[in-house]
Amino acid sequence: MVPNPVMASYAFSTIFLFIVSAVISYTLIDIETVNQESVTLLHSGSLLKLYMSKLLYSWLFSIPLALYAILYPAIFHKFDRNPSLEELGMSFIYHITATWLGVALACWFSSKFIRSRVISFLMLSVLIVITLSVQGIKDQLPDALKSVIVLFPPLNSIINVMVDYESTSLFSKLWVAGASLLYGTMIAVLFLLMLHKRKLDSSH
């Protein structure tokens, strides 16, 4: 079997974990029945704390998967060479950043917003496909519209850096991770604010 290039292989596992984390978040966000959630809500003290915990738990569940994806191929010599400590460290950062992005995106398809689980799952699947196809979409857009790509989840930026890792500047390597974390955090916070607003509206 032909050994695999280090960062290109990690780019593939990053995409895979992005999808897995989105599914985990989608599942955990609505795992409780209405009665169970009422009990949990009493213990947590607020709806925001409850759903913030669900998001963080979804992310934490993906961290062991990220460690496995990084360490297994390195320890068992699945690459064409031994990865450097920098490559291992940055790859781990990219994996957990991508998983946070998946968690934050998937929470928007909660039954709190979309009642039908079939429709919400199909919509999430479409969003995942769009996220993975951003580069192709960008290439098809006229120059005047290419700037709208910044509104899309920045997973593609992480993958591009990983594939061209050796020729990428340190600033760009760190920037894509920070930008993705910021993007995920912003849409997670927006989700929590929308959830809080819906609760206030329903109480009137």
Side-chain angles (χ1 to χ4, degrees):
M1 187 170 61
V2 179
N4 303 305
V6 176
M7 296 306 287
S9 299
Y10 281 147
F12 177 80
S13 58
T14 297
I15 293 172
F16 180 73
L17 276 189
F18 165 76
I19 298 171
V20 169
S21 65
V23 173
I24 290 175
S25 176
Y26 176 81
T27 303
L28 285 184
I29 207 77
D30 289 321
I31 197 170
E32 298 171 303
T33 64
V34 174
N35 290 336
Q36 289 173 331
E37 184 174 289
S38 298
V39 174
T40 309
L41 186 58
L42 287 175
H43 289 289
S44 63
S46 77
L47 190 67
L48 288 181
K49 286 183 181 179
L50 173 60
Y51 276 83
M52 192 182 301
S53 298
K54 288 184 177 184
L55 292 177
L56 291 176
Y57 282 138
S58 297
W59 191 31
L60 290 174
F61 285 157
S62 67
I63 291 179
L65 298 177
L67 284 172
Y68 177 82
I70 297 297
L71 296 178
Y72 175 80
I75 292 173
F76 291 97
H77 308 291
K78 301 295 183 180
F79 297 132
D80 55 0
R81 59 177 175 79
N82 290 326
S84 66
L85 287 177
E86 178 192 320
E87 288 172 328
L88 291 172
M90 290 304 296
S91 294
F92 179 68
I93 290 173
Y94 293 143
H95 278 71
I96 61 173
T97 299
T99 57
W100 173 238
L101 202 56
V103 167
L105 288 172
C107 69
W108 280 93
F109 299 89
S110 163
S111 60
K112 290 286 188 294
F113 296 144
I114 305 171
R115 292 296 180 187
S116 171
R117 296 297 281 169
V118 174
I119 293 176
S120 64
F121 185 77
L122 288 175
M123 291 176 66
L124 174 60
S125 300
V126 170
L127 179 59
I128 289 173
V129 171
I130 291 174
T131 301
L132 298 177
S133 308
V134 164
Q135 188 61 52
I137 295 172
K138 181 180 179 180
D139 293 341
Q140 296 299 317
L141 289 174
D143 291 340
L145 294 178
K146 288 188 185 295
S147 58
V148 302
I149 290 298
V150 299
L151 300 176
F152 287 74
L155 178 68
N156 189 67
S157 299
I158 295 177
I159 302 306
N160 287 342
V161 165
M162 296 181 80
V163 172
D164 298 321
Y165 190 80
E166 292 184 5
S167 60
T168 303
S169 67
L170 178 60
F171 175 79
S172 295
K173 292 173 183 177
L174 296 173
W175 169 254
V176 295
S180 297
L181 278 175
L182 179 61
Y183 185 99
T185 301
M186 287 174 62
I187 60 175
V189 168
L190 187 57
F191 165 76
L192 293 172
L193 291 175
M194 289 289 291
L195 204 62
H196 183 62
K197 184 178 184 302
R198 286 175 65 93
K199 182 190 176 185
L200 290 178
D201 290 343
S202 64
S203 64
H204 291 313

